[in-house]
Amino acid sequence: MSSTVNKIGVLTSGGDAPGMNAAIRAVVRQSIYKGKKVMGIRRGYAGLLEEEMYEMDSHDVSDIIQKGGTILQTARCLEFKEHEVNERAAKICAKHGIDGLVVIGGDGSFRGATELAKNGLNTIGVPGTIDLDIACTEYTIGFDTAVNTAIQAIDKIRDTSTSHERCSIVEVMGRGAGYIALWCGIANGAEDVLLPERYDYDEQKLVDHIIEGRKKGKQHHIIINAEGIGHSTSLAKRIEAATGIETRATILGYMQRGGSPTAKDRVYASTMGARAVDLLCEGKTNRVVGYRHGQIVDFDIIEALGMEKRIDPYFVETSLSLNSR
Ligand code: ADP
Ligand code: F6P
């Protein structure tokens, strides 16, 4: 493995997240600042295998820090799990003179990055996912924007829910993780939050809670349901049948992945993207950048992938204690 890099590639992989453009911009500008060449690779690992890449200059990333999505586009590429394919990808990078690669994505994308590192390419991961489900870091790019988008939508659902005295189930994204749901639960003051990490499938408890709230004069009942539990529409039907209260389900879906990134997402994306380049310039490889205890940090990718992330029990307790009156 080379101890220093000359040409840095950058790609986005997995689900897009607001702030990915700010991270791309940071990688490009920091690389140029450090005197390196930089190549943008389109469509994640799929584009890398198709050699869809171009040299980027500072101007290519002008006017993107405020934009959602990813200008490099993203993809899921199942064949990247195959050893021969990783080997081919590393050879393609070598052919184009790319000796360092910044991968902006989630855990799956980091697994791809570590395979490339095994094949001699210097790789650094930057956590980009709305799901906040990466254990080594307290922050992932896109989470803040997604939660802000979701809470605004839920506020609107609450207005109509109150007018019609309905119960509303709102399903938010997060794959197997309940972070978006939990944050929305607290931020929206939802009556119930269903988290994959904690769900006990006790629907009678939910039903009792709704009836109890109605008796106390509550005009709505908002249940935030995490995607990892899902089945919001059928749950709504069962709740309506059991409570006699009109119940509607709304699945927020992909709107949570779009939109202009918040200040927080822009700032973390910028600092993490720059740190990824710094690490490559210091001769580091197979690392993932993170944010912990107020600092930008980095970990060995294998070590990071082995870490376990636990939802904060105090957040869960608070979502219950503040919202169930
Ligand atoms: P995320 O990066 O957001 O977790 P995915 O899990 O869909 O998203 O992974 C994104 C891409 O990373 C996959 O489409 C694949 O190309 C690559 N990838 C995922 N898992 C592996 C693996 N075990 N080995 C190599 N590449 C992987
Ligand atoms: O990882 C981000 C995410 O939006 C998850 O919350 C969701 O489960 C998944 O991606 C959806 O992926 P796709 O775009 O393939 O439907």
Side-chain angles (χ1 to χ4, degrees):
M1 263 172 236
S2 60
S3 61
T4 186
V5 295
N6 294 307
K7 197 189 260 187
I8 296 175
V10 56
L11 60 81
T12 48
S13 167
D16 68 345
M20 278 186 165
N21 279 329
I24 295 167
R25 174 181 175 273
V27 171
V28 172
R29 294 261 165 104
Q30 189 77 349
S31 298
I32 292 167
Y33 177 71
K34 298 260 170 162
K36 312 293 177 190
K37 285 192 183 307
V38 56
M39 298 284 279
I41 299 165
R42 289 202 183 89
R43 298 178 45 250
Y45 295 127
L48 171 56
L49 293 169
E50 297 295 324
E51 303 186 42
E52 291 180 38
M53 52 184 78
Y54 62 108
E55 190 164 337
M56 296 181 88
D57 65 26
S58 200
H59 186 67
D60 289 318
V61 290
S62 295
D63 212 16
I64 65 164
I65 197 166
Q66 78 283 14
K67 290 186 178 148
T70 156
I71 59 159
L72 290 175
Q73 300 182 284
T74 184
R76 292 203 164 92
C77 171
L78 291 182
E79 60 171 328
F80 216 73
K81 293 184 181 171
E82 294 161 29
H83 180 66
E84 309 74 60
V85 176
N86 307 142
E87 218 173 61
R88 180 150 59 87
K91 280 186 186 149
I92 289 171
C93 286
K95 178 177 145 192
H96 289 272
I98 295 172
D99 46 13
L101 179 70
V102 178
V103 172
I104 305 164
D107 274 347
S109 305
F110 298 161
R111 286 183 212 285
T114 203
E115 292 306 319
L116 289 172
K118 281 184 206 160
N119 283 283
L121 181 65
N122 300 295
T123 59
I124 306 287
V126 172
T129 168
I130 63 166
D131 302 336
L132 195 69
D133 60 349
I134 300 178
C136 70
T137 180
E138 290 162 12
Y139 196 75
T140 63
I141 297 163
F143 176 73
D144 190 55
T145 308
V147 168
N148 276 288
T149 301
I151 63 165
Q152 285 170 31
I154 297 164
D155 282 344
K156 292 184 171 99
I157 292 168
R158 185 184 178 133
D159 290 345
T160 172
S161 196
T162 307
S163 304
H164 286 261
E165 296 173 270
R166 281 176 178 157
C167 170
S168 288
I169 301 175
V170 188
E171 187 173 311
V172 296
M173 274 188 167
R175 204 179 265 188
Y179 296 98
I180 298 178
L182 180 58
W183 275 61
C184 289
I186 296 173
N188 289 108
E191 280 69 26
D192 279 293
V193 189
L194 311 183
L195 307 172
E197 295 86 347
R198 293 293 187 103
Y199 194 43
D200 57 7
Y201 293 88
D202 184 353
E203 285 185 15
Q204 190 56 48
K205 199 164 66 188
L206 270 181
V207 166
D208 293 345
H209 194 205
I210 296 164
I211 294 171
E212 188 192 320
R214 191 50 59 104
K215 281 187 188 150
K216 287 180 184 163
K218 278 214 166 219
Q219 293 173 316
H220 62 249
H221 193 105
I222 306 288
I223 301 171
I224 311 288
N225 186 27
E227 176 191 12
I229 296 170
H231 304 289
S232 296
T233 308
S234 53
L235 179 61
K237 285 192 183 128
R238 288 196 298 277
I239 284 181
E240 181 165 313
T243 60
I245 295 167
E246 267 193 321
T247 303
R248 297 283 193 270
T250 307
I251 298 168
L252 292 188
Y254 292 99
M255 66 179 297
Q256 294 160 94
R257 288 223 305 242
S260 178
T262 59
K264 194 168 175 178
D265 273 323
R266 295 180 200 194
V267 170
Y268 286 119
S270 299
T271 46
M272 287 183 183
R275 176 61 66 88
V277 172
D278 292 348
L279 289 171
L280 285 172
C281 293
E282 288 161 18
K284 306 258 174 67
T285 181
N286 201 36
R287 309 285 297 172
V288 56
V289 180
Y291 175 83
R292 270 195 176 183
H293 311 307
Q295 285 187 317
I296 304 292
V297 290
D298 57 280
F299 297 93
D300 177 82
I301 296 188
I302 302 285
E303 199 186 306
L305 288 172
M307 292 178 187
E308 198 188 335
K309 188 155 181 132
R310 291 222 184 100
I311 208 142
D312 187 332
Y314 192 70
F315 275 48
V316 179
E317 281 162 30
T318 309
S319 78
L320 295 174
S321 62
L322 299 186
N323 303 334
S324 31
R325 64 171 171 88

